[in-house]
Amino acid sequence: MWYIIIGRDAPDSLELRLQARADHLARLHALQDEGRLLLAGPMPAIDCEDPGPAGFVGSVIVAAFADLGAARRWAEADPYRACGAYASVEVQPFRRVLP
């Protein structure tokens, strides 16, 4: 089943995010290689493709997992969570309708 993961950034966490980015992306690429990633990306803090020093307010990931527990464990093990860039992580089942 699909699950939506919303990671909410801690205040002033851009530097932490940048330091952990390679490890974060490696996990996403692994999901993609397994055919389990629907989409992933950051949420800019301002209405701009590249927010620069304004940074991000979080990230959204939609991926397939065996169950809600597996999705939560994966989300909690994210490098952004481990380094403190994410202040919180929410995981919910997601039902894809379109496209």
Side-chain angles (χ1 to χ4, degrees):
M1 180 165 185
W2 295 109
Y3 294 88
I4 187 166
I5 299 167
I6 303 171
R8 302 282 181 185
D9 282 18
D12 301 315
S13 62
L14 181 58
E15 188 58 37
L16 293 172
R17 179 183 266 271
L18 294 174
Q19 290 172 10
R21 187 169 189 265
D23 293 335
H24 170 78
L25 289 177
R27 295 178 83 230
L28 292 173
H29 284 293
L31 285 178
Q32 185 177 33
D33 292 346
E34 296 167 6
R36 297 173 43 209
L37 183 65
L38 183 61
L39 64 88
M43 298 182 294
I46 59 174
D47 189 11
C48 182
E49 184 75 21
D50 179 1
F56 302 91
V57 297
S59 301
V60 172
I61 300 164
V62 179
F65 293 92
D67 56 43
L68 183 57
R72 285 184 175 151
R73 286 188 297 278
W74 188 91
E76 286 295 334
D78 192 286
Y80 285 173
R81 185 74 164 142
C83 77
Y86 283 167
S88 65
V89 177
E90 177 184 353
V91 182
Q92 294 292 321
F94 179 81
R95 184 171 166 237
R96 182 179 179 183
V97 175
L98 293 172

